[in-house]
């Protein structure tokens, strides 16, 4: 039989369950997804972008200080649909903030 030290065995257990020493569930890597197509943005997708769009107060017209983050895949940009997708995402975000 293979005998591992207890500490090494616990480290292996935490790695499999993605838990830290306190028992909290943690993820090692959370991949980004395209905001429009929900495609995973891989490390090799060099055409992918992430853009922050400032939220604007509708009364004063000034930026509120917070922003909405959108990620667009290289596939979407290659098909020349990035501007349409970003415009629609911003419109949906504005409608959501107006309803609040």
């Amino acid at each position: 039989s293979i005998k591992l030290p207890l500490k090494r065995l616990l480290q292996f257990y935490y790695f499999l369950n993605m838990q830290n020493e306190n028992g909290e569930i943690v993820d090692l890597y959370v991949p980004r997804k395209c905001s429009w197509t929900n495609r995973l943005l891989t490390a090799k997708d060099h055409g992918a972008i992430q853009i922050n769009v400032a939220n604007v107060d509708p009364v004063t017209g000034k930026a509120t200080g917070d922003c909405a983050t959108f990620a667009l895949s290289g596939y979407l940009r290659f098909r020349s649909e990035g501007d349409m997708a970003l415009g629609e995402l911003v419109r949906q975000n504005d409608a959501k903030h107006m309803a609040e």
Side-chain angles (χ1 to χ4, degrees), residues 4-48:
L4 293 173
L6 182 60
K7 183 177 181 182
R8 179 76 175 136
L9 192 60
L10 286 175
Q11 287 174 344
F12 185 67
Y13 172 75
Y14 290 138
F15 176 74
L16 287 179
N17 291 324
M18 292 188 174
Q19 294 179 350
N20 60 12
E21 291 80 20
N22 298 331
E24 299 167 345
I25 304 290
V26 294
D27 286 330
L28 297 177
Y29 173 70
V30 178
R32 292 185 305 157
K33 291 176 80 175
C34 178
S35 300
W36 186 251
T37 62
N38 287 329
R39 286 178 175 233
L40 286 178
L41 300 180
T42 64
K44 295 292 182 182
D45 190 356
H46 297 295

Side-chain angles (χ1 to χ4, degrees), residues 28-83:
L28 297 177
Y29 173 70
V30 178
R32 292 185 305 157
K33 291 176 80 175
C34 178
S35 300
W36 186 251
T37 62
N38 287 329
R39 286 178 175 233
L40 286 178
L41 300 180
T42 64
K44 295 292 182 182
D45 190 356
H46 297 295
I49 61 165
Q50 181 170 327
I51 187 166
N52 293 330
V53 179
N55 290 330
V56 178
D57 185 5
V59 176
T60 63
K62 294 183 180 179
T64 59
D66 58 336
C67 62
T69 303
F70 302 108
L72 299 177
S73 66
Y75 168 77
L76 188 68
R77 296 181 64 219
F78 176 75
R79 296 193 52 198
S80 301
E81 295 179 2
D83 57 342

